[in-house]
Amino acid sequence: MTTAAPTRGEIRIYNETITPFPSYAVSRGIPLPPGAVKDPSEISIRDKDGKSIPFGAKVLQRRPDGSIEWLLVDYSIDLAAEEEKSLFIELRPGDAPAVKNPVQVSESADSVTLTNGITTLVISRKGGSIVREWSSQGRQIVGPQDLFDLETMDTGTKIYRASLSGPLSVSVEHANPLRAVVLVEGKHTARDKSTFLDFQLRFVLTANLPDVRFEHTFLCREKAELVHARAIRLVTTTRMDPAARKLIRQKHHTQEYFHRPMSLEENVEVVSSSVSDLDHYERDFKPFKMGTVFIRNFNSLKEDSSKYPYHMRPDSPSKFREDYGVGAFRQIFEYLGWTSNDLSLSFSFLRWDKLHPKSIALDENRMTISIWPEWATPCRMTQGASKTHVFHITSDPRSININEVERRFNRWEMMGLDPVAISFDPAWPAHCEVLDQQHLFKYQPKKYPFLENLIEVSPAAGNPGRWTYYRLPGAGMWHFGDLGGEGGFNNNEDDGLVLFPLVDYLRTGNVYCYDYGVETAKHYMEVDFCEFSTNARQNGGLIAHTVNHFEGMAYPSHEWVEGILAYYYLTGDPRAKRTVIRVGDHYIWWANNLMSTIAVDGREAGMPLVNLAAVYRLTGDKKYLDAAFKIVDAFHRKHYEEHGELKYPYPQYGNLEGGSWQKNIRGYGDWSSYSGLYRLWEQSHDEKLKELLINLLKVAVQPESFSVNDARAMDFFTVWIYMKLTGDTDVINRLGMIIPMLLKRGGHPTRRLHFLKELDERGLIDERIVGSRGGVI
């Protein structure tokens, strides 16, 4: 029975905290149906009573017919504690009231002013202090007499400052009455005019709230292949009273390990680290460990050790609750307050514990926010590595306590996650035909509980952590968002960490899939992305899995942009769009200069097609199709014409410099070639390409081609492609004997959902034979 198409899209919103959120700011990509909307003014966002709410919109992706496929929407919503509510995307204009405190941006020759009537930032273009003025709720936080600066330090302790770089590039990256983003870009410069590391600093302001979101990115565009930074930090003097008190909440106090609020008068440094003794950080540091947030000076807590039994004392070798050992009694919650009679600030790093090492130091009226603290080992990076960190600061024009600090913090983060869960009714993305949702296995956990558990994405099947607050282990700044350890890292192998969680978020409406995919996408498009290199092979590429992420090689078969593109559609993050395009340009270089390296096997020649088709989809620039067709002619068409199938010489490069090949092989990553040829046909509708692909698939889609223990070779997406292109559905009967393989093992995460839908619609899924765990034996 065919389900009726939805007439409007439901956005499901749930405040997971017990803190009310007035004017909670949301910025999220929404899909729209094919051919339905040409301009954002043609839609409205409405509550359950049909009333329009104000929103700002920006087109992220149009279809070939000009209709909008993905739209970035900013809006604000009031949420009570633990409130669940829905908003609705309707294909008719709205009549929303004006925004109460709209964000406005004004530009002059020497500054950009960002204001919502509550908070105002004046950002300088002239050089010197980045922020000329920052005021909020009638109080000045940073004034003309203060220096708001970014600093880096090399291993010789030379300090490089943004304030010494002369005029800075300041641009308005995004602006509407609900949200605006101002981007500052430049290099850090020393007094001797030498420079070290590039930076980007984004200031984000939303309607109705005093909060400022700072997004800091450092980028290694140095000529040296290996770079070490002693420190990376934001430093500012403020208008705070030097006698202002620092507010923290100690996590573990008394033998019961109760929480304790504390108000401190002295200077304070709050750190995140996996090492307890920061004076011996280099000696004690071990990679891939979770960090904790704690106050550096234990004496500030004024703990009386005599009141604790021997096994709990800080100096005891017994390591009471060893999992809490880092920081122990010094551990605090991941927020910090700074309060005086007429001005208080609340602030925090996002994912403070997971992205260690980090530090926030308050001394008199000076604040130092260390992206990489000076007390840690030097930060090691290669050309092209980058990392973005987010910290929030909000203000109150009065004295506040730690409970009020926590309530403000809850707007930003809850136990390592966004505090508000936002999803779509899965029927809407399917109706909008985005990210193949219309072709994917429908989420039916009551009908297929075993199967859904087997194909679970985040984390592994059977892991109950997916229903709690666990997403990804916090293993440190460079490692968070990847899976691995001392033996090496995944670096998003086969797009399984990025694309599939985000696709499954739309398929299921499970927000933990979004959480997982977003964090892995950020890692992949920064740490693993070579943003700059003097080596053309590396420049603009995504680096394959290696121990230090960015110290490996970028090469054609180990790059995946479809997940980053999905992340762009869901978040509107402009860095993701730039990354996807850069990777496309990187592939063009390979196709023009090193075709002999691409045209060697099914995977090396296949993944470029997948990626180039995705970049063409985003940009519409034909140069990406041209590069893809060069690869098809050099490899797929060449070997089909010679062998009548996808069969090619091995070992790779065997005939270079007088060598010889030993045999012909098939199957090495051929799944990516079939997928790439199909995605290329989707974008080009080239009939000769379709004919080639069908002829290749006639040979490939045979029972003996499916290996029982290899999730990649068990490629049922290939079968679906063949059915889609030929209309031959009898292939399901011919493959009947191997379908239990899919149900027992789960197949490859990004290449199984299409075929499972076909099985479901034919009643061919037998829950009794579904396996207990996915993976490859």
Side-chain angles (χ1 to χ4, degrees), residues 482-594:
D482 199 357
L483 298 180
E486 295 186 34
F489 281 85
N490 184 294
N491 283 50
N492 191 34
E493 180 78 356
D494 293 345
D495 227 348
L497 296 186
V498 180
L499 176 63
F500 184 50
L502 296 178
V503 164
D504 224 44
Y505 161 67
L506 294 176
R507 183 183 75 90
T508 66
N510 290 330
V511 178
Y512 60 79
C513 298
Y514 176 85
D515 300 333
Y516 191 94
V518 163
E519 297 295 359
T520 52
K522 290 176 182 176
H523 174 98
Y524 193 48
M525 71 186 200
E526 291 190 324
V527 178
D528 297 341
F529 172 57
C530 187
E531 191 269 343
F532 164 83
S533 179
T534 53
N535 182 345
R537 292 171 181 254
Q538 297 286 89
N539 190 36
L542 290 158
I543 293 171
H545 38 86
T546 184
V547 172
N548 289 319
H549 308 284
F550 43 71
E551 293 187 25
M553 186 67 187
Y555 52 94
S557 68
H558 272 63
E559 304 183 48
W560 299 274
V561 304
E562 288 182 306
I564 300 174
L565 187 55
Y567 166 80
Y568 171 65
Y569 292 151
L570 287 166
T571 67
D573 187 339
R575 297 170 302 148
K577 180 178 181 179
R578 284 193 286 270
T579 300
V580 171
I581 293 171
R582 287 290 308 283
V583 174
D585 294 337
H586 167 79
Y587 271 123
I588 289 175
W589 182 89
W590 279 82
N592 289 338
N593 295 277
L594 283 174

Side-chain angles (χ1 to χ4, degrees), residues 465-770:
R466 66 179 182 265
W467 305 115
T468 65
Y469 297 103
Y470 173 87
R471 295 293 184 268
L472 288 161
M477 186 187 83
W478 289 121
H479 310 319
F480 180 58
D482 199 357
L483 298 180
E486 295 186 34
F489 281 85
N490 184 294
N491 283 50
N492 191 34
E493 180 78 356
D494 293 345
D495 227 348
L497 296 186
V498 180
L499 176 63
F500 184 50
L502 296 178
V503 164
D504 224 44
Y505 161 67
L506 294 176
R507 183 183 75 90
T508 66
N510 290 330
V511 178
Y512 60 79
C513 298
Y514 176 85
D515 300 333
Y516 191 94
V518 163
E519 297 295 359
T520 52
K522 290 176 182 176
H523 174 98
Y524 193 48
M525 71 186 200
E526 291 190 324
V527 178
D528 297 341
F529 172 57
C530 187
E531 191 269 343
F532 164 83
S533 179
T534 53
N535 182 345
R537 292 171 181 254
Q538 297 286 89
N539 190 36
L542 290 158
I543 293 171
H545 38 86
T546 184
V547 172
N548 289 319
H549 308 284
F550 43 71
E551 293 187 25
M553 186 67 187
Y555 52 94
S557 68
H558 272 63
E559 304 183 48
W560 299 274
V561 304
E562 288 182 306
I564 300 174
L565 187 55
Y567 166 80
Y568 171 65
Y569 292 151
L570 287 166
T571 67
D573 187 339
R575 297 170 302 148
K577 180 178 181 179
R578 284 193 286 270
T579 300
V580 171
I581 293 171
R582 287 290 308 283
V583 174
D585 294 337
H586 167 79
Y587 271 123
I588 289 175
W589 182 89
W590 279 82
N592 289 338
N593 295 277
L594 283 174
M595 183 62 79
S596 60
T597 303
I598 297 175
V600 292
D601 62 47
R603 192 179 189 197
E604 216 65 42
M607 285 313 306
L609 304 186
V610 175
N611 294 318
L612 287 165
V615 184
Y616 173 76
R617 190 180 193 285
L618 174 66
T619 64
D621 192 327
K622 193 172 178 293
K623 67 181 182 180
Y624 300 110
L625 289 187
D626 292 341
F629 276 103
K630 283 184 183 180
I631 296 170
V632 172
D633 290 340
F635 181 76
H636 304 90
R637 196 176 301 281
K638 173 186 173 182
H639 292 301
Y640 171 72
E641 290 176 353
E642 184 175 355
H643 301 290
E645 61 176 303
L646 199 56
K647 189 175 180 181
Y648 36 88
Y650 185 86
Q652 299 98 328
Y653 322 115
N655 68 334
L656 297 180
E657 298 185 10
S660 62
W661 282 303
Q662 297 171 17
K663 61 181 178 180
N664 287 323
I665 68 166
R666 62 174 70 82
Y668 187 80
D670 290 357
W671 46 268
S672 62
S673 275
Y674 301 135
S675 179
L677 290 164
Y678 176 72
R679 294 303 185 197
L680 187 57
W681 173 79
E682 268 191 321
Q683 298 304 315
S684 67
H685 296 288
D686 184 281
E687 287 302 313
K688 291 183 178 179
L689 182 68
K690 179 180 178 181
E691 180 183 3
L692 172 65
L693 179 53
I694 289 173
N695 288 335
L696 292 173
L697 290 176
K698 285 178 182 177
V699 179
V701 181
Q702 301 295 332
E704 63 271 17
S705 299
F706 293 79
S707 171
V708 69
N709 287 333
D710 188 347
R712 289 172 178 160
M714 194 165 57
D715 183 18
F716 285 89
F717 182 46
T718 300
V719 183
W720 181 85
I721 292 172
Y722 180 76
M723 294 169 59
K724 176 81 171 176
L725 294 179
T726 65
D728 178 5
T729 58
D730 288 341
V731 67
I732 292 180
N733 297 323
R734 298 197 298 274
L735 295 175
M737 68 182 71
I738 60 167
I739 288 172
M741 261 191 338
L742 176 62
L743 299 178
K744 287 179 180 294
R745 302 290 298 157
H748 193 281
T750 59
R751 283 178 286 279
R752 63 193 175 194
L753 294 175
H754 298 73
F755 190 69
L756 284 173
K757 181 176 188 288
E758 300 292 335
L759 296 184
D760 175 38
E761 292 178 348
R762 291 164 174 78
L764 295 176
I765 296 178
D766 186 348
E767 275 273 290
R768 295 172 298 178
I769 64 172
V770 169

